């Protein structure tokens, strides 16, 4: 498959938990990675592999996967978590191609 | 700490060639892949292609006919050439370091805005 699908926008109340999803056939076989992007800045990797956080990423960010859906969960969302979030993975063609989801705008209310 | 510093022309005319270079400071150059990603104004991320230290590359099929990514291991640099640009190629272009075990980009350049306009 050559697509990863994300909801365009999600909102969460301050301090609550939110799940951002990413759907695609390739996710049945490959893990998704997740990026946070704030306006005017380069994306930042927040989750990769099964559920790995790079150094400096708060532990309120976690990843999971089931079937063709990968999810990024933010537990106890903070105001600074308001950003665009992108998933990515590889495609299933065997050609080592990379896919990105369309992005989800997270609003913290 | 790993840093990626990128540079290149920011204003092009239609039909010209986009050229960007990314220098890598810190970390191992040979243990990762090196990638270009772009983002059109107000849009999402688009993978352009990647290369490893030995020069093996893969490209987005939608851009493959116009893209070349090259590597200079003596300088820990890699470059992007995109030929015959149009307004649709106007975007912020990022270089990034790719992990090899999973598809993930853990260090990014600051981005270069490339505008194509006559």
């Amino acid at each position: 498959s050559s697509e990863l699908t994300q909801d365009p926008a999600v909102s969460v109340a301050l301090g609550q938990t939110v799940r951002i999803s990413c759907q695609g056939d390739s996710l049945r076989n490959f893990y998704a990675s997740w990026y946070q992007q704030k306006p005017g800045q380069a994306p930042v990797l927040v989750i990769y592999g099964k559920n790995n956080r790079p150094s400096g990423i708060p532990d309120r960010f976690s990843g999971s996967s089931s079937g063709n859906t990968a999810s990024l969960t933010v537990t106890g969302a903070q105001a600074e978590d308001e950003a665009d979030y992108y998933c990515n993975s590889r495609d299933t063609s065997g050609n080592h191609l990379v896919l990105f989801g369309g992005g989800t705008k997270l609003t913290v209310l | 700490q790993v840093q990626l510093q990128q540079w290149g022309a920011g204003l092009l005319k239609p039909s010209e060639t986009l050229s960007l270079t990314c220098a890598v400071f810190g970390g191992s150059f040979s243990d990762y892949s090196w990638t270009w990603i772009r983002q059109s104004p107000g849009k999402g991320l688009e993978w352009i292609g990647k290369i490893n230290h030995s020069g093996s590359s893969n490209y987005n099929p939608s851009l493959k006919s116009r893209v070349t990514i090259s590597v200079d291991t003596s300088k820990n640099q890699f470059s992007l050439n995109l030929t015959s640009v149009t307004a649709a190629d106007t975007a912020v272009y990022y270089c990034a370091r790719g992990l090899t075990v999973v598809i993930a980009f853990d260090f990014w350049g600051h981005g270069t805005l490339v505008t194509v306009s006559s």
Side-chain angles (χ1 to χ4, degrees):
Chain A
S1 169
S2 60
E3 285 190 353
L4 295 175
T5 302
Q6 298 182 241
D7 292 329
V10 171
S11 62
V12 62
L14 184 68
Q16 297 303 301
T17 296
V18 62
R19 179 173 291 184
I20 299 169
S21 64
C22 175
Q23 288 188 303
D25 286 344
S26 66
L27 299 179
R28 297 184 185 279
N29 301 103
F30 302 111
Y31 290 118
S33 296
W34 292 91
Y35 305 84
Q36 176 192 72
Q37 186 180 34
K38 297 180 179 180
Q41 298 182 17
V44 173
L45 179 66
V46 294
I47 291 290
Y48 67 97
K50 187 173 183 180
N51 182 19
N52 300 298
R53 282 177 289 106
S55 174
I57 301 302
D59 61 5
R60 62 179 179 271
F61 290 92
S62 62
S64 61
S65 184
S66 177
N68 73 336
T69 301
S71 299
L72 173 70
T73 300
V74 186
T75 303
Q78 302 299 302
E80 60 264 32
D81 299 334
E82 184 164 295
D84 293 326
Y85 290 85
Y86 294 90
C87 62
N88 95 300
S89 187
R90 70 169 73 207
D91 85 331
T92 55
S93 70
N95 294 325
H96 303 285
L97 305 181
V98 174
L99 307 173
F100 278 101
T104 298
K105 169 64 177 177
L106 175 64
T107 299
V108 180
L109 304 172
Chain B
Q1 176 71 330
V2 175
Q3 291 187 10
L4 279 68
Q5 294 184 6
Q6 57 181 106
W7 64 90
L11 181 61
L12 297 173
K13 290 181 167 50
S15 80
E16 292 185 334
T17 295
L18 179 158
S19 293
L20 297 173
T21 298
C22 184
V24 180
F25 300 93
S28 167
F29 193 76
S30 60
D31 290 342
Y32 300 90
S33 65
W34 304 98
T35 293
W36 289 98
I37 294 160
R38 72 180 183 179
Q39 186 171 35
S40 301
K43 303 297 185 182
L45 301 171
E46 180 181 25
W47 178 73
I48 298 171
K50 63 177 179 177
I51 196 166
N52 64 18
H53 70 285
S54 64
S56 177
S57 57
N58 301 96
Y59 301 125
N60 186 324
S62 68
L63 299 169
K64 188 174 183 178
S65 63
R66 298 192 291 130
V67 171
T68 302
I69 297 176
S70 59
V71 65
D72 184 342
T73 56
S74 69
K75 296 180 180 179
N76 283 5
Q77 294 178 2
F78 62 108
S79 299
L80 169 68
N81 272 16
L82 180 67
T83 61
S84 305
V85 297
T86 70
D89 296 309
T90 293
V92 176
Y93 287 75
Y94 295 101
C95 60
R97 187 178 85 167
L99 304 183
T100 53
V101 178
V102 296
I103 297 295
F105 307 109
D106 60 349
F107 287 96
W108 295 61
H110 54 79
T112 299
L113 174 61
V114 177
T115 302
V116 180
S117 175
S118 55

